[in-house]
Amino acid sequence: MLLLNAGEPVRVIIVEVQLRKDDDKPFSWPAYLTVSRDQHRCPAGLLVVAPDPVVADWCAQPIEIGVPGFVLRPPVLRRDSVPVVTDPAEAVRRPELGLLSAMAHGETEQGATIAGAVLPAMEGLDDERARLYYDLPYNSLNEAARLALEAMMKGYEYQSDFAKKYVAQGRDEGRIEEAVRSLLSVLRARGIAVPDAARERILAQKDPERLQRWIEKAVTAAALTEVLDEPS
C-alpha cells in the first residue's frame, strides 16, 4: 500500500497475511522493506496479519540482518486484536475493518457469519478494491465455513454484475484449492512421492474436473505418472 501526499509518496505499508510458519519470510520481509524504500524514496513499514497464535509468536521474532543494530522486529496483528464484525451495517461503514475481521477470524466458528456480513458490503467499492476485498474474506475461510457461508447466502441476491462474478469466482477458487489439498493428501497417504516440478503442476491446475480425475486416479495408482499423465 502506497500512501501519497499531493501525488508524492510519503510511506509504503507492506501487509502480509501469514497463516503458517515460512522459513523464507525472515529473508524476504527485510528485502521487501528495503527495496520498497529505495523504489519510492520514502519510509516503509511492515504489518504481518497472523490469526494463529503460534504463528503470530513466530512472526514476531526479531530478525538479525547482520549489521550491528540493524534488527527487524515485525509488527504482528493478532487475532485477539481484531474485533469480530458480524453487523452488515458496520461492515458497510468500515469495510477495511470487516476485511481484517474476516481474515483474522475466518477459520473460527464465526467465520461464515463474518464473511456473510462483509461480502455484501463490498458492492459499493470501486472495482480495484472490490476485486481484492472479495477474494480475501472467502479465501480466509476453512471448508466448513465456506459451506456454511454458501448455505447462508442462498437467499441473498447480489445486485451488481461485478459482485456476482467475483462471488462465483471466489467459490470456484475455494473448491480448486480444496481439491489441490485433497490430491496432495491422497498422494502423501499412498506414499507416492511428488517432485517439485509435479507439485508446481498440481498447484497451477485450475480445472476442477481435471483435479477430480487426478484424485480418483490417485486412490489406486501405483506411481505419479499414472495420475498426471493423460491422453492429449
Side-chain angles (χ1 to χ4, degrees), residues 5-226:
N5 182 16
E8 293 296 320
V10 293
R11 191 168 186 84
V12 180
I13 302 175
I14 299 164
V15 180
E16 284 265 303
V17 179
Q18 201 64 35
L19 302 179
R20 60 188 60 84
K21 295 180 181 180
D22 183 344
D23 291 336
D24 288 336
K25 294 304 181 179
F27 300 96
S28 60
W29 284 338
Y32 295 161
L33 289 168
T34 53
V35 170
S36 296
R37 180 175 178 273
D38 176 62
Q39 180 180 356
H40 297 288
R41 300 292 167 171
C42 66
L46 171 69
L47 176 64
V48 181
V49 180
D52 184 282
V54 174
V55 176
D57 288 342
W58 178 84
C59 292
Q61 294 299 311
I63 300 172
E64 298 280 350
I65 308 301
V67 178
F70 192 1
V71 181
L72 174 61
R73 293 178 172 83
V76 179
L77 183 63
R78 300 168 181 267
R79 175 180 292 162
D80 56 9
S81 299
V82 180
V84 175
V85 176
T86 57
D87 179 4
E90 177 70 7
V92 170
R93 285 194 299 270
R94 297 194 285 178
E96 283 78 14
L97 180 62
L99 179 67
L100 278 175
S101 182
M103 292 163 62
H105 303 285
E107 294 197 346
T108 69
E109 292 180 356
Q110 293 175 292
T113 304
I114 296 168
V118 169
L119 287 174
M122 303 304 152
E123 291 191 28
L125 303 178
D126 59 87
D127 281 4
E128 183 176 352
R129 280 200 301 166
R131 183 177 294 109
L132 173 64
Y133 288 9
Y134 271 116
D135 287 345
L136 287 176
Y138 195 85
N139 290 330
S140 297
L141 305 177
N142 56 29
E143 184 62 18
R146 285 194 187 105
L147 293 173
L149 174 66
E150 291 179 10
M152 288 168 50
M153 301 301 283
K154 279 181 180 178
Y156 180 84
E157 178 63 27
Y158 287 88
Q159 300 302 312
S160 69
D161 290 339
F162 179 89
K164 292 173 184 176
K165 173 184 175 183
Y166 279 94
V167 169
Q169 179 177 307
R171 290 172 179 168
D172 289 343
E173 289 176 353
R175 292 189 180 103
I176 289 170
E177 186 178 305
E178 183 64 23
V180 167
R181 285 199 297 266
S182 297
L183 175 58
L184 293 173
S185 295
V186 172
L187 291 170
R188 183 170 58 251
R190 305 262 350 274
I192 298 175
V194 181
D196 289 343
R199 181 177 295 272
E200 289 301 317
R201 180 181 173 191
I202 292 170
L203 293 174
Q205 180 56 244
K206 302 302 181 186
D207 182 350
E209 293 183 1
R210 176 166 291 182
L211 285 167
Q212 186 59 42
R213 289 199 301 271
W214 286 355
I215 293 171
E216 291 169 359
K217 290 182 178 181
V219 174
T220 58
L224 187 61
T225 53
E226 297 178 20

